[in-house]
Amino acid sequence: MRSLIPLVSMILAGSLACTAVHADDASCKPVRDAMLAKTTAKYDDKIVTTMPGRKPIVSEEIYTLDATWHLLLGRWIRTPTSPQKELDGEKGIRATFTGCRREGDSTIGGDPVAIYTAKTANLTLITFSGDLKVWVSRKNGLPLRTEANASVPILGRSHTVKSYRYDNIRPPAPN
């Protein structure tokens, strides 16, 4: 069980920032649009997941439009993909966002952002519910940062931070 925690946490971290394509809440359109927009942009995201009583789990993901690279236990794992496959995957997760609110404006790396909060839930793969905060670039509509607090059966509570970068994205060096 202990060796599965990093893997499950990485899956959870990806799911926490997934698209809410099944949500009916109109207030969540900016959040949904931002999460859908990232399926068509190359990015590198750093992920840190913390859970009470455990060491932080630090990982990274690089998406190059034709592949997603996951840093898992110190090794890069390549998964072939495409923007359409990513979009279909987001839709298949069956996540929802509700009660979205714009919390204000700020900047990240000099880029103006709008900050949103939402309630989120996932009913497939790893069931969870939680709170999400998203910093959306006002220049290009892409998420620059997400923070999620979740409650997952068996694993308990977690806090996941994803920081996105969209410039000079390249596959990682071979292991």
Side-chain angles (χ1 to χ4, degrees), residues 3-63:
S3 63
L4 288 178
I5 289 174
L7 177 60
V8 171
S9 296
M10 284 183 61
I11 293 168
L12 174 63
S15 299
L16 285 171
C18 64
T19 308
V21 294
H22 296 286
D24 296 328
D25 192 334
S27 69
C28 293
K29 184 178 182 340
V31 175
R32 284 193 304 273
D33 289 351
M35 301 315 281
L36 286 173
K38 78 180 177 77
T39 66
T40 61
K42 294 179 182 181
Y43 64 84
D44 180 341
D45 64 337
K46 309 287 190 220
I47 307 161
V48 178
T49 301
T50 55
M51 300 170 71
R54 301 192 189 283
K55 290 182 182 180
I57 300 166
V58 179
S59 59
E60 184 175 357
E61 180 179 79
I62 299 173
Y63 174 61

Side-chain angles (χ1 to χ4, degrees), residues 23-141:
D24 296 328
D25 192 334
S27 69
C28 293
K29 184 178 182 340
V31 175
R32 284 193 304 273
D33 289 351
M35 301 315 281
L36 286 173
K38 78 180 177 77
T39 66
T40 61
K42 294 179 182 181
Y43 64 84
D44 180 341
D45 64 337
K46 309 287 190 220
I47 307 161
V48 178
T49 301
T50 55
M51 300 170 71
R54 301 192 189 283
K55 290 182 182 180
I57 300 166
V58 179
S59 59
E60 184 175 357
E61 180 179 79
I62 299 173
Y63 174 61
T64 61
L65 299 179
D66 64 347
T68 302
W69 298 83
H70 304 274
L71 185 58
L72 182 61
L73 303 174
R75 297 192 51 85
W76 286 103
I77 308 297
R78 181 184 186 273
T79 306
T81 193
S82 70
Q84 187 60 51
K85 283 183 184 178
E86 291 295 306
L87 185 60
D88 292 346
E90 294 286 351
K91 290 177 181 178
I93 289 174
R94 288 188 26 214
T96 60
F97 294 149
T98 57
C100 297
R101 289 189 342 202
R102 184 165 176 173
E103 299 292 338
D105 297 302
S106 188
T107 59
I108 293 180
D111 195 355
V113 294
I115 304 167
Y116 295 91
T117 58
K119 297 288 184 192
T120 186
N122 180 335
L123 306 175
T124 60
L125 191 58
I126 299 174
T127 303
F128 70 83
S129 62
D131 300 308
L132 180 68
K133 190 171 187 178
V134 183
W135 287 256
V136 178
S137 169
R138 292 178 51 210
K139 289 182 183 176
N140 59 25

